[in-house]
Amino acid sequence: MRKSWWKILSFILLVYTIIGGFLLDVPHLFILNETIRNLYFHVCMWFGMMILFAISFIYSIKYLLGFQYRNDIFASNFASVGSFFGILGYLTGALWVSVTWVTDQGQSFGSVLKEPKLIGAAIALLIYGAYFVLRGSFTDIDKRARISAVYNIFAFVMLFPSIWIIPRLVGSLHPGAPGSDSGNPALDKNQLDATMRMVFYPAVMGWTLLGVWVATLKIRIALINDKKLINE
Amino acid sequence: MYARILALLKKDILLELRQKHTFYGILLYIAATIFVLYLSMPNSPDAIIWNSLFWVIQLFVCVNAVAKSFLQETRGRMLYFYTIASPIEFIISKLIYNAILMLFMSLISLLLFFIFLDNPVSNSLQFVGIVVLGGIGISLVFTIMSAIAAKAQQNAALIAILGFPIILPQLLLLMKLSKAAFAEVFRDGALLQLTGLTVLMDIMVIVLAVILFPYLWKD
């Protein structure tokens, strides 16, 4: 992971995202207007978060298979950067909400909070908050690694139905959901404008790579700190 | 294997019957909570509020009833279990025991709800079925959380922190499902779909418990 090409790629993609995202033409839709550019930032945060959580999940499985302390460091740091992306996703979402749903559609704060996507995201953040609380309650490092790996695996698997099920239960304002009885209100790639797609996919890649980059930096610091514990 | 699961189950039930104070403690907890609700609510809350209150109470009853299932096992006793049973047998016996306990507690709290807060349910039998299904589902999740929290040497507070975000989808599913018993009309097949999803999640929890518990088992 110490190779530098993907870090350079991440940088180039993000520069492209910011320049392309603000300068390229976007479709002018009712209510959304220019705020649609937030797609390149807001949606990417959720993609990044889920990918980072998935990586954390994989390292937790690896930890339980071999009990190597290294893997626990990987799992916890990917989870923490994932949570940070989740918080950023909330913030960018809040910005977007404040100029679309709240002002233009006159939605109340309460109805916005009951959005299925918000519930799903809240569950994800609460789960990882609980994960860190659990980690904090141990003094024994091996025990902490083992028990939190178990919780991480359990929670991640349970997170998936909550993302699939809740959107089918609650009506939504979120784009991609035509009506409350529709299917899963996910982002529909066929509805995305062609020029937007040209920026959106690189943006997802760029942000995710940036997240992985931040996580690897944190991991390297942790590995140096715990050098004595890892006999390799 | 079955014999050992049965033996462990029998041990838990016997313990419950002999140490009656915890059992009555939970019963009292249910009665007191519902009585407080009765005093603080209008005599007959409408169906939606009744439904939400009922499931939230189930959640808290479950935390209290299931919490002790691993916390009560002392270190010495756990050592003894290591020698006589496998982790899978142990967790299955715990899951079954807690499901039975929670079933009992759910039905009692339902009865108290009917007595104190009226009965807005139009199809009582169907609602009892949903309560049985939901009680089992909630107890399964909290059994695992109790196993995790017991390792952290923490009290019931940690169980709530760990369990609430995970139980939320299931709880929303149950609240939605129970609206069927309040004569809300569903799309064709939606009721079956919701029931199927709930059962599927229960199965998933059991599978995860069986896979993951061996890692929680030994220090």
Side-chain angles (χ1 to χ4, degrees):
Chain A
M1 287 308 260
R2 292 190 191 170
K3 291 199 174 68
S4 54
W5 64 268
W6 60 273
K7 293 171 187 166
I8 298 169
L9 179 70
S10 159
F11 179 73
I12 295 170
L13 285 175
L14 287 178
V15 169
Y16 169 69
T17 302
I18 291 169
I19 296 173
F22 283 111
L23 297 182
L24 284 179
D25 195 34
V26 290
H28 294 269
L29 300 175
F30 178 60
I31 292 181
L32 278 174
N33 290 321
E34 289 287 331
T35 66
I36 203 168
R37 294 179 194 278
N38 200 359
L39 180 88
Y40 308 137
F41 305 96
H42 171 69
V43 181
C44 299
M45 293 302 137
W46 299 120
F47 272 81
M49 179 189 87
M50 280 320 288
I51 292 168
L52 289 168
F53 284 165
I55 297 172
S56 165
F57 167 70
I58 290 165
Y59 274 105
S60 280
I61 294 175
K62 275 177 88 174
Y63 178 80
L64 288 186
L65 292 178
F67 296 110
Q68 278 183 316
Y69 182 56
R70 209 184 141 79
N71 288 331
D72 177 59
I73 294 177
F74 274 74
S76 69
N77 282 300
F78 275 111
S80 75
V81 178
S83 311
F84 183 64
F85 266 58
I87 294 166
L88 288 182
Y90 253 109
L91 291 180
T92 48
L95 270 178
W96 211 349
V97 160
S98 66
V99 290
T100 50
W101 295 344
V102 173
T103 46
D104 284 357
Q105 290 188 346
Q107 298 290 340
S108 69
F109 186 62
S111 71
V112 168
L113 271 185
K114 277 193 176 171
E115 273 298 298
K117 290 257 170 177
L118 268 112
I119 297 173
I123 290 175
L125 288 181
L126 281 174
I127 282 177
Y128 283 91
Y131 172 74
F132 289 112
V133 169
L134 182 67
R135 289 187 71 86
S137 65
F138 289 100
T139 45
D140 182 322
I141 294 172
D142 286 325
K143 207 170 172 186
R144 177 176 71 195
R146 192 157 41 88
I147 309 298
S148 59
V150 168
Y151 183 71
N152 194 8
I153 294 169
F154 188 75
F156 186 77
V157 176
M158 296 298 284
L159 183 62
F160 263 78
S162 71
I163 291 168
W164 291 328
I165 292 167
I166 292 178
R168 286 161 210 271
L169 293 181
V170 195
S172 179
L173 302 162
H174 207 278
S180 58
D181 279 338
S182 74
N184 193 354
L187 186 81
D188 186 354
K189 65 178 192 298
N190 297 323
Q191 285 179 356
L192 200 58
D193 181 68
T195 47
M196 289 196 69
R197 238 179 288 174
M198 256 169 50
V199 181
F200 177 66
Y201 293 132
V204 169
M205 273 174 64
W207 287 115
T208 307
L209 284 177
L210 184 73
V212 175
W213 188 0
V214 174
T216 50
L217 287 179
K218 278 171 68 90
I219 288 163
R220 281 162 69 181
I221 294 170
L223 286 177
I224 291 167
N225 281 338
D226 291 342
K227 210 170 191 174
K228 282 179 192 159
L229 296 171
I230 307 159
N231 302 313
E232 278 181 305
Chain B
M1 184 176 174
Y2 295 111
R4 268 177 297 203
I5 292 175
L6 272 180
L8 285 169
L9 192 62
K10 198 179 154 199
K11 163 234 138 199
D12 269 334
I13 294 172
L14 269 180
L15 262 183
E16 195 71 77
L17 291 176
R18 289 185 187 160
Q19 300 180 326
K20 287 200 180 73
H21 61 280
T22 53
F23 183 75
Y24 287 126
I26 301 163
L27 280 186
L28 201 63
Y29 178 85
I30 297 175
T33 320
I34 295 171
F35 188 63
V36 169
L37 279 181
Y38 164 69
L39 292 179
S40 58
M41 293 296 284
N43 274 345
S44 44
D46 66 25
I48 295 169
I49 295 175
W50 193 94
N51 189 23
S52 333
L53 278 176
F54 180 77
W55 287 109
V56 172
I57 297 294
Q58 292 313 297
L59 194 62
F60 282 93
V61 166
C62 189
V63 171
N64 280 282
V66 173
K68 63 173 182 44
S69 72
F70 281 88
L71 298 176
Q72 75 175 4
E73 306 289 8
T74 56
R75 209 177 152 73
R77 216 193 279 168
M78 282 308 269
L79 272 174
Y80 177 56
F81 291 137
Y82 296 146
T83 62
I84 57 164
S86 79
I88 293 170
E89 290 160 0
F90 188 73
I91 189 69
I92 290 177
S93 82
K94 282 285 185 197
L95 287 172
I96 296 173
Y97 167 71
N98 281 329
I100 295 171
L101 184 69
M102 186 59 202
L103 207 64
F104 191 72
M105 296 299 169
S106 302
L107 291 176
I108 286 182
S109 49
L110 181 63
L111 190 72
L112 288 176
F113 257 74
F114 281 161
I115 295 169
F116 281 112
L117 295 164
D118 265 2
N119 181 2
V121 181
S122 55
N123 188 343
S124 297
L125 209 61
Q126 195 180 19
F127 193 73
V128 169
I130 296 166
V131 168
V132 167
L133 190 69
I136 292 173
I138 297 172
S139 76
L140 295 179
V141 171
F142 277 98
T143 305
I144 318 292
M145 291 307 128
S146 161
I148 292 176
K151 286 289 166 195
Q153 312 287 327
Q154 291 271 326
N155 46 15
L158 193 63
I159 298 180
I161 296 170
L162 297 177
F164 279 13
I166 292 179
I167 201 73
L168 216 120
Q170 232 164 323
L171 208 64
L172 287 177
L173 206 64
L174 286 168
M175 282 180 188
K176 180 90 174 172
L177 187 60
S178 40
K179 280 182 187 157
F182 294 103
E184 190 173 291
V185 182
F186 277 80
R187 259 185 308 131
D188 274 344
L191 206 59
L192 206 65
Q193 202 181 11
L194 285 174
T195 317
L197 268 174
T198 319
V199 174
L200 214 66
M201 284 185 84
D202 290 355
I203 293 170
M204 205 170 81
V205 173
I206 294 171
V207 170
L208 279 172
V210 168
I211 294 171
L212 293 173
F213 187 69
Y215 295 103
L216 292 174
W217 169 246
K218 274 180 185 167
D219 283 329

